[in-house]
Amino acid sequence: DQIRINDLSLNNILKSEYEKNNSLLDEKKNYWETRIKEIENGVEFKEIRKNLKKVSNLKNPLDIFKMDREVKEILQSAKALNEKLSVEKEQMKLDLQDMKNSPEMKFSVDNGIEKFVKNGEIVIKDLDTLINIYLNQVYEKKMYELVMKYREVVKELELRKEEDKKAVNKWELYIEELDITSDTYGFMLNGEVHNISSRISRNTENISFMLTGDKNQSHGKMDGYVNLDVPEGYINIDIQKVDLDELKEFNDYINGGTAAMTQKTILSKEDIIISGNLNINNMNLNGRSIVDTMNLRMPLLKEMIIPLLSEVKNGKISYGYDSQTRRVYVKSNLSKEITRILNSNNGYWKKKISEDLKKASESEILKYEELLRNKEEEIRKISEENLNIQIGELEKIDEQIKFLKSKNKKDILNELFQRF
């Protein structure tokens, strides 16, 4: 197996997530720096400073009584600005707190890992090659033993045919119609063979046969011919639906499912060629039995493969055997089907890989989270300090205004005379 990914790596994803969140904090920092400067350079502050400067620069204390309009404007502007700064300060705290708790700011690599796993295609490569190696190790010898027996039968047939040709007064039994039955892949097929002579040398034409059977709303057929003179033959098997759990060869590995099956067998004087196709549906694999035969040394890998196999329900398989090459072969879409299951976003493997990557990234995540927390604290502190400077200036202005506001004209004159 192999994971094909693009340029992404887990470290790049973590860095990207951090940089994205860091950028959000920078945007917030710039926003509040700009907002505080806007307040500082705003109309309210300018009017307060301008009018306060007029009042403070009076040389004749008696002129204070002429500044009634300016004093009122200072009072109104200071009140409005004080309220605005209080609101802004509270808003800043709420804004940073909301941002800190928001889904996009809360540092998490869930989305990044999901992209990583989604973009990285998990591929099962050359599964058919592995199957072919296994089949040839297990079955090729048995298949070849069968071919050797077939060749012995053909050789014996040839010898008897030559002896039979020489016979003159040998009796002959001619069979016009012969009923035969064959148990084929769990199907009991019945049919007839026509025009067979007991004298082998008299069978010079193709001997055809046709067998059919029905079972569990499925139809099976086996037809073909044999030619004892050449010798050669052809056998075609076509079954609409085979119950896989009834095939003894598969009982250890398959608990259920069906398959449409076609198989062709070509017989020649020396060789047997077999080719077939299976279209499998609703297959129920015994993952535990299959994994036990794989001789895997990693227990964790076993436990990961079992649920994967349980999800493989359908497949297309072609198979064959050629006695000339002595190779059993299989071609299938199982690699494609398993790859599809592996890459399912809701599948076991995607979740498993994501969980493993997150676990492996915990220390990196904590490092980036700490950096972001420090950045957030720095922004909050600087923004609050800048706002407090403006509030402090307002408080000083407020003191001067309270002096103007709380005294009657006589007291103001007395204090101004003392001050100047």
Side-chain angles (χ1 to χ4, degrees):
D1 61 81
Q2 180 188 67
I3 297 183
R4 287 204 305 252
I5 60 173
N6 56 18
D7 295 342
L8 290 174
S9 70
L10 188 55
N11 286 335
N12 287 338
I13 286 171
L14 295 177
K15 184 180 178 183
S16 174
E17 285 288 308
Y18 164 73
E19 288 175 348
K20 180 185 74 177
N21 291 335
N22 194 39
S23 176
L24 290 173
L25 281 174
D26 282 336
E27 286 178 19
K28 196 59 65 177
K29 178 183 177 183
N30 292 334
Y31 169 79
W32 282 107
E33 283 178 351
T34 304
R35 187 75 190 110
I36 291 167
K37 285 178 181 177
E38 286 175 355
I39 294 170
E40 185 180 354
N41 300 320
V43 175
E44 295 96 335
F45 252 127
K46 284 183 178 178
E47 283 297 317
I48 291 170
R49 290 190 180 109
K50 184 179 74 173
N51 290 330
L52 194 60
K53 188 175 181 181
K54 284 181 182 180
V55 175
S56 300
N57 290 338
L58 290 174
K59 294 181 180 179
N60 186 352
L62 293 174
D63 290 340
I64 189 79
F65 300 117
K66 298 177 183 178
M67 303 296 293
D68 189 54
R69 181 175 58 83
E70 283 80 357
V71 171
K72 285 182 179 178
E73 287 179 359
I74 292 172
L75 288 171
Q76 290 171 355
S77 298
K79 183 180 179 183
L81 187 56
N82 205 11
E83 289 175 355
K84 181 184 287 188
L85 283 172
S86 296
V87 170
E88 292 287 338
K89 186 175 181 180
E90 191 60 31
Q91 182 58 46
M92 184 203 70
K93 290 179 180 178
L94 292 173
D95 194 16
L96 289 173
Q97 191 62 35
D98 287 344
M99 187 177 185
K100 186 177 179 181
N101 295 329
S102 69
E104 65 175 341
M105 181 60 201
K106 194 172 183 180
F107 189 80
S108 170
V109 291
D110 287 8
N111 292 335
I113 295 233
E114 185 178 334
K115 290 177 187 175
F116 178 73
V117 177
K118 192 173 182 180
N119 290 335
E121 184 186 2
I122 308 166
V123 180
I124 296 293
K125 292 183 65 179
D126 298 330
L127 180 62
D128 288 344
T129 299
L130 297 174
I131 293 174
N132 287 333
I133 291 171
Y134 175 78
L135 290 175
N136 280 281
Q137 286 177 340
V138 175
Y139 291 111
E140 194 284 321
K141 186 178 179 181
K142 294 179 181 179
M143 292 293 292
Y144 195 67
E145 287 174 355
L146 180 65
V147 171
M148 295 304 291
K149 289 179 181 179
Y150 168 75
R151 288 173 179 172
E152 289 175 5
V153 169
V154 170
K155 190 181 292 184
E156 182 69 20
L157 186 67
E158 290 284 280
L159 289 172
R160 293 194 181 192
K161 185 170 66 174
E162 292 301 316
E163 290 178 359
D164 186 63
K165 283 180 180 179
K166 297 173 185 177
V168 179
N169 296 321
K170 188 175 181 180
W171 62 270
E172 178 183 4
L173 178 65
Y174 185 78
I175 304 169
E176 291 185 353
E177 183 179 295
L178 178 66
D179 290 337
I180 59 174
T181 299
S182 174
D183 185 356
T184 304
Y185 298 117
F187 259 74
M188 194 60 68
L189 302 176
N190 300 292
E192 298 174 346
V193 178
H194 297 276
N195 305 323
I196 304 175
S197 172
S198 62
R199 292 194 63 178
I200 296 174
S201 62
R202 305 274 187 175
N203 294 293
T204 58
E205 302 294 329
N206 289 348
I207 301 171
S208 61
F209 57 88
M210 165 75 80
L211 293 81
T212 61
D214 294 291
K215 176 184 176 182
N216 296 336
Q217 299 181 333
S218 176
H219 180 73
K221 180 182 75 171
M222 180 167 66
D223 61 0
Y225 71 90
V226 291
N227 190 318
L228 301 179
D229 189 44
V230 176
E232 65 179 17
Y234 175 83
I235 304 170
N236 178 61
I237 298 172
D238 190 344
I239 300 176
Q240 290 179 349
K241 185 175 72 174
V242 179
D243 290 323
L244 296 177
D245 55 356
E246 292 189 4
L247 301 184
K248 295 179 181 179
E249 299 90 339
F250 297 154
N251 283 166
D252 290 339
Y253 309 114
I254 298 177
N255 296 326
T258 61
M261 176 183 180
T262 59
Q263 180 178 295
K264 294 177 174 57
T265 304
I266 298 173
L267 305 172
S268 64
K269 187 174 182 180
E270 293 289 330
D271 295 299
I272 298 174
I273 299 174
I274 299 171
S275 62
N277 293 285
L278 287 171
N279 288 328
I280 300 171
N281 294 293
N282 301 317
M283 180 168 56
N284 184 12
L285 292 174
N286 186 336
R288 178 66 63 182
S289 295
I290 293 171
V291 167
D292 286 345
T293 64
M294 292 171 74
N295 195 28
L296 297 174
R297 297 176 183 176
M298 297 172 62
L300 180 61
L301 190 57
K302 281 187 178 182
E303 297 307 314
M304 292 174 74
I305 289 176
I306 290 170
L308 170 63
L309 292 174
S310 68
E311 294 186 51
V312 179
K313 300 295 183 184
N314 306 308
K316 294 181 180 180
I317 300 173
S318 62
Y319 60 91
Y321 175 77
D322 188 336
S323 60
Q324 290 183 351
T325 60
R326 293 184 58 177
R327 300 296 298 174
V328 180
Y329 78 88
V330 164
K331 290 183 179 179
S332 73
N333 71 337
L334 291 180
S335 295
K336 184 177 179 181
E337 182 68 11
I338 292 174
T339 296
R340 181 188 66 78
I341 293 168
L342 280 171
N343 290 284
S344 168
N345 288 331
N346 297 319
Y348 169 85
W349 279 67
K350 284 284 185 180
K351 291 177 181 176
K352 176 66 179 171
I353 290 169
S354 295
E355 288 169 5
D356 287 349
L357 288 177
K358 287 174 192 174
K359 190 173 181 181
S361 309
E362 281 178 355
S363 59
E364 285 291 302
I365 294 169
L366 290 174
K367 180 183 78 175
Y368 287 129
E369 282 183 338
E370 182 65 24
L371 288 171
L372 290 172
R373 273 197 299 271
N374 293 338
K375 181 69 170 287
E376 188 271 337
E377 179 63 23
E378 176 191 344
I379 294 169
R380 185 193 61 75
K381 188 176 179 182
I382 291 172
S383 300
E384 279 193 352
E385 284 176 357
N386 288 335
L387 274 173
N388 284 333
I389 289 170
Q390 310 306 320
I391 290 171
E393 188 172 343
L394 264 186
E395 286 173 352
K396 290 177 182 178
I397 293 169
D398 195 44
E399 286 178 10
Q400 292 173 295
I401 290 175
K402 282 177 182 176
F403 161 72
L404 294 171
K405 184 180 176 183
S406 64
K407 307 290 184 179
N408 57 39
K409 292 180 180 179
K410 183 179 179 182
D411 292 334
I412 292 172
L413 283 171
N414 287 335
E415 292 201 27
L416 286 173
F417 276 123
Q418 288 177 11
R419 187 170 55 171
F420 291 101

